[in-house]
Every structure is written in C-alpha cells, then in structure tokens.
Amino acid sequence: MGDRWHVEVDCSVCIGSGMCVNHAPDGFRLDSARQSHPTDEDRDAGEEVLAAAEGCPVEAIRLTLTLAGSGEVVFPPEE
C-alpha cells in the first residue's frame, strides 16, 4: 500500500486562481466564490495533487501524510 495524504485548502489564503484545478482536475474544485476545495480530503499520494500544491501561487494547499497517523507535512516545506 502506498502513501496517503490529507489535503487541506486554507480558504482564508486562497485567491481562486484555479491553478490547482488546472494541475489536478480530479483533485480540486472551485465553488461559486472561486474558493478551492479538495474533491477528497484523504487520498492516495499522487503527482497531480503535489503539482497543484506546488503550483498554488499563495501556498494555500497543505498535504500531510496520513499513513500510520504520522501527520508529517509533505507540502509546503517547513522552514
């Protein structure tokens, strides 16, 4: 079994650019206010979702490992 991620979008930071939907159309949707939401908060790790997080111009997307409850941050990198 591969890694699983918990996907969160901070709506107080999201500017509705739609880059997440462009990178991962199956992973994110925009609501009527153009706020991003994950289509599934707990999902298998994948390159498209990682690309969406990395491509977010305001780093509103956070990915954490859920396997074995580690909670390790995948993105954004901790400084």
Side-chain angles (χ1 to χ4, degrees):
M1 175 151 76
D3 288 342
R4 300 227 359 121
W5 289 342
H6 180 74
V7 182
E8 296 175 75
V9 176
D10 184 342
C11 290
S12 69
V13 175
C14 178
I15 60 171
S17 73
M19 294 301 295
C20 55
V21 176
N22 288 337
H23 285 289
D26 293 331
F28 297 89
R29 65 176 176 78
L30 296 179
D31 65 18
S32 61
R34 294 200 51 84
Q35 292 292 292
S36 177
H37 300 275
T39 57
D40 187 359
E41 290 182 351
D42 294 304
R43 61 182 316 115
D44 291 335
E47 291 298 318
E48 287 184 349
V49 172
L50 180 59
E54 292 175 338
C56 178
V58 293
E59 291 189 352
I61 301 169
R62 181 179 176 93
L63 307 174
T64 53
L65 285 175
T66 60
L67 191 60
S70 75
E72 179 183 338
V73 175
V74 176
F75 190 87
E78 295 179 339
E79 296 178 39

